[in-house]
Amino acid sequence: MRILRRDEHPEVMDRYLTGTARAIPIVIVLDDQWREIGHWGSRPTELQAWVMEARKTMPKEQLYPQVRRWYAKDKGESTLREILSLLPAGSPVVRQ
């Protein structure tokens, strides 16, 4: 795993814009030859769909507390499931 700091790699962030924003986190899955297999970010699909719809009618000060509650209830399960779905079949995955 490699972690790139957003502000030190603007060209990478610009390649993975969420709409027009440099959203984080972004996960990029690469094969052994550094070719992209897939990418994820910056929110789980279900939450992102809700946020995009809610933004039409809800002010940010009401929206973001609800987003935080969603994350607290989900406990990262949706994020993990979506990122793992990017891995090719048979990939070794460490599980606890």
Side-chain angles (χ1 to χ4, degrees):
M1 178 164 85
R2 298 178 103 185
I3 298 174
L4 302 178
R5 294 173 188 242
R6 180 189 70 177
D7 295 337
E8 293 173 12
H9 299 278
E11 70 285 356
V12 175
M13 289 305 299
D14 288 345
R15 184 170 175 194
Y16 297 96
L17 294 177
T18 302
T20 59
R22 287 182 175 167
I24 53 173
I26 299 294
V27 175
I28 306 164
V29 179
L30 306 171
D31 67 13
D32 292 341
Q33 279 70 52
W34 298 92
R35 294 178 298 224
E36 182 179 330
I37 295 170
H39 68 277
W40 177 93
S42 64
R43 292 186 185 107
T45 304
E46 175 187 344
L47 177 59
Q48 181 66 7
W50 180 83
V51 166
M52 297 307 289
E53 192 60 33
R55 278 185 178 164
K56 296 175 185 176
T57 59
M58 189 180 299
K60 282 185 180 182
E61 49 279 349
Q62 291 176 7
L63 179 75
Y64 289 106
Q66 290 188 46
V67 167
R68 288 190 292 275
R69 280 193 289 279
W70 188 94
Y71 277 118
K73 182 178 178 186
D74 184 69
K75 297 181 176 145
E77 292 292 326
S78 296
T79 301
L80 182 59
R81 193 171 36 258
E82 289 181 16
I83 292 170
L84 289 175
S85 75
L86 298 174
L87 299 176
S91 293
V93 178
V94 178
R95 295 186 182 195
Q96 292 184 347

